[in-house]
Amino acid sequence: VKKSLEKAQSKGFSQEFYLIEKWLYMYNECLKNFVLDPTIAETDLEPSSQKIRTATKKLCGRFNLVCKAKGEKDQKYLRVSKTKSTQIPNNYPDVVRDVMQEISDTKIGKNEKRKEKLERQLEEFDEGDIPGDWLEHAGLGLKKKTKYKPKIVGENAVAIDENSVGYKLLLKSGWKPGLGLGAESGGSKDIIQVKIRGQRTGLGID
């Protein structure tokens, strides 16, 4: 949690963020020429990554253009079509900067929400409690501050039947009803009970 919190506190962006900006500047010029050409109703952009396509869709929205993803896997690209309201935006020289600012604000907003969530979880861990959503992620489906109770096999089991083969074998081995198991009758007198761990939980969970 602490490592995740350190990452969430960072305001820096990866190299991919700057790569998106370069692609947008290139597409900005292409879209301008596309809008100014009355002979073309639609055009295909180059194949790109999912993040670049998402940013390009935002840019196309500034031109009132419609985008649809085409292709498969690494060859996915955007097909851009004109509408009746398609036009060059008034802030054309700054449109890429505005789109990148929107992407940045969205990323910082998500970053801040994740930071707040991690801080709350860290406080709960410091108090010795396991956050409820962590238990749910582990497959337990338990609510917050609910103690884990493992299933116990044999808890309500009945005694072995006197007519069963196992009962008769015990008698032949020298065992007597009411005594413990073993040569000196010092073993367990109770039915064996086995604790079953919950789904996707670790060994030693309380």
Side-chain angles (χ1 to χ4, degrees):
V1 176
K2 288 181 179 179
K3 287 182 179 179
S4 298
L5 181 57
E6 289 172 1
K7 290 181 180 179
Q9 289 172 330
S10 174
K11 294 295 188 294
F13 295 101
S14 64
Q15 185 65 30
E16 189 174 20
F17 184 82
Y18 300 101
L19 180 63
I20 291 173
E21 187 177 31
K22 290 182 180 179
W23 276 76
L24 289 188
Y25 273 114
M26 177 184 69
Y27 282 148
N28 195 36
E29 185 67 24
C30 293
L31 293 176
K32 177 185 176 182
N33 296 331
F34 169 60
V35 172
L36 292 175
D37 191 339
T39 63
I40 306 175
E42 63 179 21
T43 185
D44 293 340
L45 302 180
E46 295 180 28
S48 56
S49 68
Q50 189 271 331
K51 289 185 178 180
I52 292 176
R53 293 196 305 273
T54 300
T56 305
K57 287 180 180 179
K58 294 181 181 293
L59 180 63
C60 289
R62 301 297 200 278
F63 288 84
N64 291 325
L65 295 166
V66 177
C67 296
K68 289 186 178 180
K70 300 290 182 179
E72 297 180 357
K73 296 183 179 179
D74 296 337
Q75 295 302 312
K76 278 193 173 182
Y77 62 92
L78 290 178
R79 178 163 293 170
V80 184
S81 305
K82 292 179 181 178
T83 65
K84 293 181 179 179
S85 58
T86 294
Q87 62 180 2
I88 297 174
N90 296 328
N91 63 333
Y92 171 76
D94 301 322
V95 68
V96 172
R97 186 188 64 186
D98 291 347
V99 171
M100 293 305 297
Q101 186 63 50
E102 180 184 342
I103 295 172
S104 176
D105 291 343
T106 302
K107 185 175 180 67
I108 290 175
K110 290 181 179 179
N111 210 42
E112 288 299 318
K113 288 182 180 179
R114 174 166 171 75
K115 176 184 172 183
E116 292 173 2
K117 180 180 178 182
L118 288 167
E119 284 175 339
R120 288 196 303 269
Q121 291 177 343
L122 192 60
E123 289 176 1
E124 291 170 351
F125 272 114
D126 288 341
E127 293 172 0
D129 188 23
I130 301 177
D133 53 350
W134 283 61
L135 291 174
E136 290 175 6
H137 181 69
L140 296 175
L142 301 178
K143 294 182 179 179
K144 186 178 176 181
K145 295 186 178 180
T146 301
K147 290 186 177 180
Y148 168 68
K149 295 181 180 179
K151 294 180 180 179
I152 300 178
V153 178
E155 187 175 17
N156 299 315
V158 296
I160 189 170
D161 187 82
E162 296 181 1
N163 295 320
S164 68
V165 176
Y167 189 89
K168 293 176 180 179
L169 286 173
L170 285 171
L171 292 175
K172 286 184 178 180
S173 300
W175 173 79
K176 295 181 180 180
L179 300 178
L181 298 175
E184 299 178 358
S185 301
S188 175
K189 298 179 183 179
D190 301 321
I191 297 170
I192 296 174
Q193 298 181 2
V194 180
K195 290 185 178 181
I196 305 298
R197 292 185 294 116
Q199 182 183 6
R200 298 175 66 188
T201 56
L203 288 169
I205 187 169
D206 186 5

